[in-house]
Amino acid sequence: MTAEMVPPAWMHEQVTAEQYATWTEEQCAGIEIVDGMVLVSPSASKRHNRLARLLANALDDAAGPDWNADTDFDVRLQDVPLNNRRPDVTVYRADTLDVSPTRPEHVLLVVEVVSPGSETTDRIVKADQYARAGIRFYWRVEQTPTGAPLVYTYVLDPATGRYRDGDIFAGTVKVAAPFPVDVDLSQM
C-alpha cells in the first residue's frame, strides 16, 4: 500500500463539534458526520443537482421573506456525538442566514433527492434523524428512469416524534404547507 492510499487519521476517529469548527470549508465539503464519524459522500449527478436546485429555487420563491431555501450546507442535528447532515435542500429562517451552525430549530423543511447508493439512508436513516431533531417537514424525491420524479411529503407528528405520510406527487408538486408551493418537475 502506498502512502497516497492511506486514509487520513481523522477518518478513523470520532470528531467533536469543537474539532469540526476548526476545519476549513473545503474540508467540510462533501462529507457528513454521523455519531462523530466522517462519512464521505460521492459527487451527485447533474440530474440530482439540477433537481435540488430547481426545488430550492421554487421553495425560496414561495417561502416569502421569513424563510430561505438553499442547497449544500450543514445542519447540526446534535453536538454529542456530533451529527451534521447536508440535506439536498434546506428551508431555514431567513434571520439565521449568518448563524453557524444551522440547528434544527432554524429549519422548517429538508429535502433529500434519492440517488443510487443513498436509498436506505434517505428513506429511513435521515428521515428518522430529522424527525428526532424536530424538523417539521421532510420531503423525499425519488428519481425515476423515465418520467417525472416522485415527491413524497412528510409532516412531523409532535406526539410520536415521527413523520406521518403526506401526499405523493408525480411531476407537479402543489402543497399548502409549510407554505403554498406549486412547482412543475415533469421536465426533468
Side-chain angles (χ1 to χ4, degrees):
M1 183 177 275
T2 65
E4 297 85 37
M5 296 173 64
V6 175
W10 56 261
M11 291 187 77
H12 300 287
E13 300 169 359
Q14 278 192 312
V15 177
T16 66
E18 294 77 19
Q19 290 169 320
Y20 190 77
T22 67
W23 292 7
T24 66
E25 186 75 26
E26 292 78 24
Q27 287 174 297
C28 298
I31 65 168
E32 293 181 312
I33 310 289
V34 177
D35 294 332
M37 300 304 291
V38 175
L39 297 178
V40 179
S41 302
S43 294
S45 69
K46 290 185 283 186
R47 177 175 295 279
H48 176 281
N49 289 342
R50 180 168 176 71
L51 189 52
R53 184 178 52 80
L54 289 173
L55 274 168
N57 290 348
L59 289 165
D60 200 55
D61 289 344
D66 294 335
W67 300 98
N68 293 335
D70 286 307
T71 61
D72 195 34
F73 65 89
D74 287 343
V75 175
R76 173 76 50 87
L77 300 179
Q78 75 183 43
D79 289 319
V80 179
L82 182 59
N83 278 293
N84 279 353
R85 289 294 190 174
R86 274 187 181 240
D88 292 313
V89 179
T90 305
V91 177
Y92 60 97
R93 288 193 348 241
D95 64 354
T96 66
L97 178 65
D98 295 317
V99 175
S100 184
T102 299
R103 297 201 177 266
E105 59 268 22
H106 305 149
V107 177
L108 178 64
L109 163 71
V110 291
V111 180
E112 293 290 355
V113 178
V114 179
S115 295
S118 75
E119 295 94 338
T120 300
T121 301
D122 290 341
R123 292 176 186 154
I124 299 168
V125 177
K126 286 184 179 180
D128 182 61
Q129 288 178 329
Y130 295 146
R132 282 188 290 122
I135 296 173
R136 291 181 34 212
F137 296 90
Y138 177 63
W139 292 5
R140 189 184 82 237
V141 181
E142 298 277 347
Q143 301 179 71
T144 58
T146 58
L150 297 174
V151 179
Y152 295 80
T153 63
Y154 303 89
V155 179
L156 185 64
D157 180 342
T160 65
R162 306 203 53 89
Y163 287 119
R164 288 189 320 252
D165 291 347
D167 295 319
I168 302 170
F169 300 92
T172 300
V173 178
K174 189 169 186 167
V175 298
F179 40 77
V181 178
D182 188 349
V183 58
D184 183 5
L185 301 174
S186 63
Q187 301 305 312
M188 286 299 300

